[in-house]
Amino acid sequence: MKYEYLLERCQLCPRECSVNRNEAKGFCGEGRNVRIARAEKHMWEEPCISGENGSGAVFFSGCNLKCCYCQNFEISHLSKGFELSDLELAQTFLRLKAMGAENINLVNPTHFVPQILNALELVKGKLNIPIVYNSGGYEKSDTLELLKDYVQIFLPDLKYFDPTASKKYSSAKDYFEHAFASISKMVEIAGKPSFENGRLKSGVLVRHMVLPNMRRDSIKLIEILSESFEKDEILVSLMSQYTPVYKAGDFDELNRCVSTFEYNCVVKELEKSGFDGYIQQRESSSEDFIPKFYDEKYY
């Protein structure tokens, strides 16, 4: 396949672990074969992504970040999931389209970019719905450049400004520098947001989840976005869904949900910035919104 060589000395993400993933697992915990834990229509994305019919979400196993509070820890940390060939992944995309999905939503795809590109090549001209690259934001511009002719919508997280926090909670001291540069690259690739009948067809929607005791860091991120991008260049989605799961309890400051005061402080800053986007309802802070994941192929 066209992109197989990228796995021979893997440098797809800022970790640059250089592992030959045809023979061993990289920092992400994954090898040659794609592994996913779920592929279904998903109604819990932003309205412009889910639409009326749902987003065709493919949840990839493994991760290049080690967030102690990961809401999807079963697949990012605990290795839940099942293998697919590149052809089976392509067939999964077609299955989601046949189900009426508004788009193909690649959730946590960074470490599987070569296989995803192979699969998209196999279905070229058959999907005719947007491809969404839904990532933790810890990206390399060289990897994003490969997506130029394949991805229309970028949905990156922007988690932290403070390198002490990003190292402590996600094992990535250099998170902000890479995430911010990645957003700039995504805007270069996708252009300004464009809509059709209320659905996002292309563009960049930056997500930020407010963490407990981190409101000042959140406000700093919005200030930097406001200084760096025109108000019509990106959309911003502010999320309140943080739930202390997995190893969040190891840190007293993270072992609770975000308070209304903390969240409203950040909401006010976003409103002041002038960006269009979304503000998540407070009742989204629940484990009920974490989807079911699978260890064996179920479809």
Side-chain angles (χ1 to χ4, degrees), residues 125-142:
K126 298 178 183 179
L127 285 177
N128 302 317
I129 53 177
I131 305 298
V132 180
Y133 190 84
N134 180 348
S135 81
Y138 195 50
E139 305 286 345
K140 283 179 61 178
S141 291
D142 289 349

Side-chain angles (χ1 to χ4, degrees), residues 271-289:
E271 290 173 340
K272 187 172 74 175
S273 75
F275 286 118
D276 285 333
Y278 302 91
I279 296 171
Q280 194 174 46
Q281 299 302 307
R282 298 285 290 128
E283 57 266 25
S284 298
S285 302
S286 168
E287 293 186 44
D288 293 341
F289 289 91

